[in-house]
Amino acid sequence: MLSQLGDDAKLLAGGQSLIPLMKLRFANPTHLVDLNFIAGMSYVKENDGALRFGPLTRHAEIENSAIVAKVPIVHDCAAGIADVQVRNRGTIGGSLAEADPSGDWAVVLSTLFTQVRCLGKNGERTVELKDFIQDAYTTALAHDELVNEVVVRIPAKGSGGAYLAFKRAAPVYPTASAAVQLTMEGNVCKEAAIALGCVGLTAIKAKDAEAALRGQPITEKTLAAATEAARAAADPQSDMRGSADYKRTLVGALVRRAIDIAVRRARGEQVEVSHIYA
Ligand SMILES: Cc1cc2nc3c(=O)[nH]c(=O)nc-3n(C[C@H](O)[C@H](O)[C@H](O)COP(=O)(O)OP(=O)(O)OC[C@H]3O[C@@H](n4cnc5c(N)ncnc54)[C@H](O)[C@@H]3O)c2cc1C
């Protein structure tokens, strides 16, 4: 239908980004192709060492999934998006396709090995998340392609992760956020993935912060180095949510807290987290 209807047709998933944009007249599609009428688009599955999400899987379904509980950082993300009304409608496929610079999913999923399966009239292709989101509101999808499945590799044993955001209130996007996924051997960090949200046009991989932890014991010194490197990697804009300096400081503090929780979870501790509200 998308290729028949042309460029002015848009897919409708949960409508939690598209409908507000239409109300503001920032989007004015001539046709809506509603995915909600297609059966079998909403699921959470585990196979071949990966979590698989259907394109129409709601944030709430992910939040409440027993399978997802095995990868706590994914649960943190789903449970922290907006309020229950938005989580009941909004979808993981719509969120990645929207590529909103403030969206949570791209931040969290870029600390895990994530693939997006894109379906078009010539068949399916698999794109790694790092290549899928190309810029703010820009993805690798062609106009007549859709996100057909999101595949997330389950981290190795001894891994732990955490996602923390700072928000003014539940139903708003974060001021800044940090996702940390670590693989530990005793007190030594074997692997580290750190991504920052809302402090750039896309999720930012804090590579120097990852390098500051990789192969090192978690000490005050390595924590300080990772925090400083994360602050340096952030590229925030001043806006109504705070000044650029404020967001830079905030993201450093979030990374530090997220590392602490990730280490504890990697040791097998059950740690509940929720976002931090102003
Ligand atoms: C008050 C409010 C607060 C919010 N707070 C947050 C927040 O804190 N964090 C957060 O991450 N998000 C937040 N959101 C956004 C929410 O998560 C949306 O659900 C999400 O961004 C878009 O998903 P959707 O299913 O609603 O997509 P839709 O709005 O239906 O679609 C969004 C875009 O993606 C396209 N699209 C949809 N599905 C597909 C697909 N399968 N393949 C290709 N293209 C597709 C549509 O054509 C459209 O262009 C908030 C939304 C609201 C209204």
Side-chain angles (χ1 to χ4, degrees):
M1 285 180 81
L2 283 180
S3 44
Q4 280 165 19
L5 295 168
D7 284 355
D8 288 337
K10 278 245 165 226
L11 290 172
L12 178 68
Q16 298 302 299
S17 293
L18 184 55
I19 301 293
L21 287 176
M22 288 171 68
K23 283 173 145 178
L24 292 165
R25 307 289 187 262
F26 290 146
N28 194 15
T30 44
H31 302 277
L32 290 178
V33 178
D34 191 345
L35 291 170
N36 293 272
F37 289 97
I38 305 174
M41 301 276 277
S42 178
Y43 56 83
V44 180
K45 292 181 195 162
E46 179 188 349
N47 65 23
D48 281 347
L51 299 176
R52 292 171 185 272
F53 301 100
L56 216 60
T57 311
R58 317 281 168 181
H59 309 315
E61 191 178 341
I62 300 175
E63 175 186 5
N64 297 319
S65 159
I67 299 174
V68 167
K70 294 181 192 169
V71 188
I73 193 171
V74 177
H75 174 269
D76 294 345
C77 181
I81 292 175
D83 49 30
V84 71
Q85 289 87 346
V86 171
R87 294 198 293 276
N88 278 339
R89 295 301 306 162
T91 67
I92 189 167
S95 199
L96 292 179
E98 179 70 9
D100 187 317
S102 300
D104 290 299
W105 278 118
V107 185
V108 167
L109 296 183
S110 59
T111 64
L112 301 164
F113 180 70
T114 302
Q115 294 172 313
V116 183
R117 297 177 67 189
C118 309
L119 181 69
K121 56 178 184 172
N122 298 326
E124 200 174 64
R125 64 189 177 109
T126 300
V127 183
E128 277 187 39
L129 181 64
K130 66 181 173 54
D131 303 317
F132 179 79
I133 296 192
Q134 299 180 335
D135 205 340
Y137 303 105
T138 310
T139 68
L141 282 174
H143 170 71
D144 58 358
E145 274 185 314
L146 57 83
V147 172
N148 198 32
E149 190 173 59
V150 180
V151 184
V152 181
R153 189 189 291 158
I154 297 174
K157 218 166 171 268
S159 302
Y163 180 57
L164 287 177
F166 182 88
K167 293 178 139 198
R168 286 166 298 135
V172 298
Y173 287 91
T175 305
S177 67
V180 173
Q181 183 68 37
L182 306 177
T183 306
M184 301 294 295
E185 211 173 81
N187 191 37
V188 174
C189 171
K190 303 303 282 181
E191 257 317 316
I194 301 179
L196 316 175
C198 305
V199 287
L201 292 178
T202 59
I204 291 177
K205 273 309 274 315
K207 295 205 166 118
D208 290 344
E210 295 170 348
L213 296 183
R214 202 171 286 127
Q216 301 295 325
I218 301 292
T219 61
E220 206 34 59
K221 196 172 156 206
T222 47
L223 278 174
T227 307
E228 195 41 48
R231 279 164 46 90
D235 184 20
Q237 300 286 319
S238 297
D239 60 19
M240 62 177 184
R241 295 184 202 155
S243 68
D245 271 356
Y246 172 74
K247 291 184 191 180
R248 209 182 277 285
T249 303
L250 190 55
V251 93
L254 291 169
V255 164
R256 201 182 170 106
R257 283 196 200 190
I259 293 173
D260 177 58
I261 298 163
V263 168
R264 289 167 59 199
R265 283 177 168 170
R267 288 187 190 130
E269 257 184 71
Q270 300 281 334
V271 188
E272 292 286 323
V273 301
S274 79
H275 291 335
I276 301 149
Y277 294 98

